[in-house]
Amino acid sequence: MNKIENKVIILTGASRGIGKVTARKLAEYNPKLVLVSRKMSDLEKLKAELKYENALFVEADISKESDSNKIVKETVDKFGTVDVLINNAAQFARGNVIEMSLDDFDRVIATNIRGVFILTKLVLPLMIKQNSGTIVNISSTAGKRGYAGGSAYTVSKFALNGLTECLIKEVRQYNIRVITISPSLVDTREKPVEEQKEIGKGVYMRAEDVADSIISTINLPQRALIKDIEIWGTNP
């Protein structure tokens, strides 16, 4: 059953990795796609690859409030509303607390949590007005357990999980679903099919696996909410 057809879906971080694969798989369901990336050159490559007419490509940095306003305005101007928001865009920095620069820490927080907060805040009035909607926040297993050298990224994902918990309580009354997808290590390399092993020691999950999980939660009847999915490789 296809409950995604004709839905207006905003996907951030759409031009690479999990976002790119999710965009490709979503197009199979015939929604109205709004694909967001910080670089128009990356979006142009995605556009050429997808060859999907019912899509809007928006160059924007979600850490900037003006850019998030641009995303929502262009979406509403073209499609009239927002049915689904997939907060996938993310920044990463590695380093122990004592050695990490404040610039790197701020860059990660600005996108991974502040940017999500801003864009979500902007789409919520549209969803509340139509009394339905779905927000999918792409978190990480790092948002549930820390590791040495991961302070900035882990803090941002712990915060994202907390934001999701609060949002669920705030918007359920409007039939709005808020979902967390938390992948472990993902192999995002685009390898030929013959080089893609299905199982075995050291075979990590692929972006396709995360994309399928995202789509499965959106495609449920609106009455049903999968609150949290944690995805691990079977035999890492």
Side-chain angles (χ1 to χ4, degrees):
M1 186 176 296
N2 182 6
K3 295 186 177 296
I4 297 176
E5 187 172 12
N6 293 320
K7 295 291 186 183
V8 181
I9 302 176
I10 296 176
L11 170 63
T12 65
S15 63
R16 297 183 182 183
I18 292 170
K20 183 178 181 179
V21 174
T22 301
R24 188 165 62 230
K25 282 182 168 283
L26 278 171
E28 297 173 8
Y29 291 80
N30 197 31
K32 298 169 183 175
L33 285 176
V34 180
L35 303 174
V36 181
S37 177
R38 289 182 300 158
K39 294 182 179 180
M40 183 53 73
S41 58
D42 289 341
L43 287 172
E44 291 292 346
K45 292 177 184 176
L46 178 62
K47 184 176 182 180
E49 180 181 321
L50 280 183
K51 297 182 175 64
Y52 186 66
E53 293 183 359
N54 208 9
L56 173 66
F57 297 83
V58 183
E59 181 183 32
D61 181 347
I62 65 163
S63 68
K64 300 175 182 178
E65 185 177 4
S66 59
D67 280 19
S68 287
N69 273 295
K70 172 188 173 184
I71 295 167
V72 176
K73 183 181 185 305
E74 291 191 12
T75 300
V76 173
D77 286 348
K78 185 172 180 64
F79 296 126
T81 190
V82 177
D83 296 302
V84 179
L85 170 62
I86 305 173
N87 286 308
N88 172 66
Q91 291 279 323
F92 182 80
R94 185 175 182 87
N96 294 338
V97 171
I98 196 169
E99 63 193 24
M100 180 173 290
S101 70
L102 286 177
D103 284 345
D104 279 344
F105 185 85
D106 288 344
R107 172 176 55 81
V108 172
I109 297 300
T111 295
N112 296 11
I113 186 63
R114 186 176 185 272
V116 171
F117 180 90
I118 293 169
L119 191 52
T120 301
K121 182 179 175 67
L122 290 170
V123 304
L124 276 176
L126 297 166
M127 293 182 174
I128 290 172
K129 183 179 180 180
Q130 66 196 20
N131 202 37
S132 69
T134 301
I135 298 168
V136 182
N137 291 331
I138 308 305
S139 185
S140 167
T141 54
K144 300 185 177 184
R145 50 194 65 81
Y147 61 95
S151 57
Y153 187 73
T154 296
V155 164
S156 73
K157 295 304 185 179
F158 264 86
L160 181 58
N161 292 346
L163 175 62
T164 305
E165 285 286 334
C166 294
L167 276 171
I168 290 172
K169 304 299 192 300
E170 293 175 5
V171 300
R172 286 180 75 180
Q173 62 183 308
Y174 304 109
N175 302 303
I176 299 171
R177 304 178 297 188
V178 190
I179 300 156
T180 303
I181 308 284
S182 298
S184 182
L185 290 174
V186 179
D187 185 352
T188 58
R189 293 172 297 174
E190 297 186 25
K191 297 188 292 187
V193 174
E194 61 271 17
E195 295 181 20
Q196 297 177 19
K197 295 181 180 179
E198 285 294 313
I199 57 173
K201 189 68 177 176
V203 177
Y204 293 106
M205 78 179 102
R206 297 188 59 78
E208 288 83 352
D209 306 322
V210 182
D212 286 339
S213 299
I214 295 168
I215 291 169
S216 69
T217 62
I218 298 171
N219 207 28
L220 276 175
Q222 194 69 29
R223 63 179 177 269
L225 163 68
I226 295 179
K227 179 174 173 287
D228 186 8
I229 294 180
E230 192 170 324
I231 317 171
W232 292 80
T234 300
N235 185 17

